[in-house]
Amino acid sequence: MYLLRKTTAVLLALLVSIASFVGIASASDSKKVSVDVATNYTTLVPGQSVLVSVKISNIPSGRNGLHSGKVVLSYDENVFTTEGNIRFDDDLGKYIWRDDTFFIPSKSFETTDYRIENPYPEDSNPADGRQEVVLSISALNNKTINSTTNEAFASFFLTVKKEVKTQDTLINIVSKETMLEDTAGNPVHGYGTTSAHLLVGAPKRIEIVRGTLPPTSNPFKLSINSGVELNALAVFDNGDTAYVTELSSWETTDPQVIKAPVQGNIQAIGLGKASVTATLGSVTGKHDVAVYPANAPELIEQEVVHVIITRIPNERSFAVATVVQVNVNGKTAEPGRLSDGTVYVSLRSVSKLLGVDVGYDSTKKAPMIDGKTVTHFYTFSGVSYIMARDISSLLGAEVKWDEKKTTLTIEASVRKK
């Protein structure tokens, strides 16, 4: 489905300070303007899409503020392709990223403040084996461009080619072609840059896991006529892991016991034992499944498991998912998303309005809110989201969903810091 989409191998980054910007090489002074490119994956398999995010940080305000910017990124054309992500625009007379493969994360970046154009591909040097992506940002209505903490200005998809050997690769800012301009029309010099480092290639093995749970050698236990979500977890030589559920082909060894899996979702239709396999290229993972009658003693221990299984959204569908208005104690938070029937809210925005602290659990490699570890979270284009229903269990807040108005209301006591 997409890489590192589950909690066992989520982003190795502080939620507040670097969110989805994992795998980036620091190259800039903390006090000067920095143009950053990053991904929320560190490892990719052939055929996988990756969301590339662009962020400009430490932007000065006032008379020296930023008025416009042209950001140029470079990637290895032998590793990545734009196929399926771009379209030809008749008005512009060139290819641009499609609206559903290009994402502007924040309301503050709408037409009232900025104009962010769809990125377009370019090949400035056909002989260097690299391709460029050009992204333009300009302020409107006498405003300046400013940076929302932890949030990218824009993100877009690239896809790993299907026949790629295992290798390290780099997506970087092209400094000599990137141009920033202040409100007086003067170029901004001396800015820093960061780059995204990734590993691409085939995994050494595939583990089949239940929901978001870690790998286990024990058979999965199901009751007759029940179903469960399984995922294919790719494990690489360097220790990285990646979820490749939708990229894998799924089969069952006994269709009379387990109905043929569809993207990891299985249905128990007969008593007995069977195995489920997931294959990606030349690598296959296998796991046993045991099906019991309803209320069988063997199933009692599984009740706890059902509580913590969840589905994290597919990135492409999340980019075009229904926008949800989020109100916290009568105040408007950053918009959420309705994806696969689940409402996701911005962890940073909601926690700020509730007056609770956000931290990072370095052991579990997951964010913390009000001192509690967030088990299920998802980072998209520099914004970390959690399921709205988890707000209740974590903070004791009352959460109300208005389906007709696509509005989520959160009510809780505000903590004093």
Side-chain angles (χ1 to χ4, degrees), residues 353-388:
L353 292 175
L354 289 175
V356 296
D357 293 322
V358 173
Y360 183 72
D361 187 330
S362 59
T363 301
K364 297 182 178 179
K365 296 181 174 62
M368 300 178 66
I369 182 171
D370 197 32
K372 301 174 182 177
T373 301
V374 178
T375 307
H376 305 125
F377 71 99
Y378 176 62
T379 303
F380 182 82
S381 193
V383 179
S384 291
Y385 293 87
I386 64 173
M387 294 184 294

Side-chain angles (χ1 to χ4, degrees), residues 74 77 109 131 150 152 184 194 209 240 279 322 356 365:
S74 172
E77 63 184 2
F109 300 150
Q131 295 271 356
N150 307 320
T194 57
V209 298
D240 281 352
T279 301
T322 301
V356 296
K365 296 181 174 62

Side-chain angles (χ1 to χ4, degrees), residues 29-30 50 69 77 93 95-96 103 112 121 125 169 186 194 224 244 249 315 331 340 343 386 389 398:
D29 189 297
S30 60
V50 60
E77 63 184 2
Y95 284 93
I96 62 173
F103 183 65
T112 54
N125 183 359
T169 190
N186 300 315
T194 57
I224 187 73
V244 292
S249 58
E315 287 204 325
K331 297 182 179 180
D340 292 333
V343 178
I386 64 173
R389 62 173 177 260
E398 183 178 3

